Amino acid sequence: MPSAPTSADDLSLSEMLHVLDVARALRREKETVEAELNRGEMVSALRERLLASAKATGDNVTPQEVDAAIEIYLSRLHTFAEPPFSLRKLLAYTWIWRGRLTLLLLMLLTSSVVVWWLVR
């Protein structure tokens, strides 16, 4: 088993490139996380873009209306509403539960055959 390099001079080219790739990936992930978690900057940038697009399209929108729209958007951003019952939903659940339903049908069939055989 090769020993671990003791200094940066002992690293091969491929090891050095791997270390640099890992460092680059960590930096990108950190920047992404910081951008996603910094809600204040995201809201202000969105507000500026919305006001600029409203001005470009000729819409008469006040900053208060834009702020209200952003707050409504952010309050509904991560919500889930169960879809109403429909045939598509029933078919989807049937597909999801196909193993359990098959087992249940086999158990019912087996018990029906046993009862028929005992009564006969």
Side-chain angles (χ1 to χ4, degrees):
M1 184 166 144
S3 63
T6 57
S7 70
D9 296 332
D10 297 337
L11 291 175
S12 68
L13 180 61
S14 64
E15 290 171 333
M16 186 69 81
L17 290 174
H18 181 68
V19 169
L20 290 173
D21 285 341
V22 169
R24 187 178 309 118
L26 287 174
R27 185 179 63 245
R28 261 190 255 126
E29 288 177 9
K30 181 181 176 186
E31 290 169 356
T32 302
V33 167
E34 287 175 356
E36 291 295 325
L37 292 179
N38 196 349
R39 183 175 174 158
E41 284 184 18
M42 189 267 304
V43 168
S44 65
L46 181 61
R47 181 177 190 265
E48 290 172 10
R49 279 189 254 146
L50 286 172
L51 287 172
S53 66
K55 184 178 178 183
T57 59
D59 290 336
N60 191 11
V61 179
T62 65
Q64 292 80 15
E65 292 171 336
V66 171
D67 290 337
I70 291 172
E71 285 305 314
I72 291 170
Y73 168 74
L74 292 176
S75 69
R76 296 180 184 170
L77 187 60
H78 299 291
T79 58
F80 173 75
E82 187 74 29
F85 185 77
S86 66
L87 180 62
R88 293 178 73 187
K89 184 177 174 183
L90 178 68
L91 290 174
Y93 276 112
T94 303
W95 180 255
I96 292 168
W97 296 332
R98 66 188 179 272
R100 293 177 188 160
L101 291 174
T102 303
L103 182 63
L104 177 67
L105 288 174
L106 287 174
M107 288 172 47
L108 286 173
L109 180 66
T110 304
S111 62
S112 299
V113 168
V114 168
V115 168
W116 176 78
W117 184 75
L118 289 174
V119 172
R120 182 177 60 115

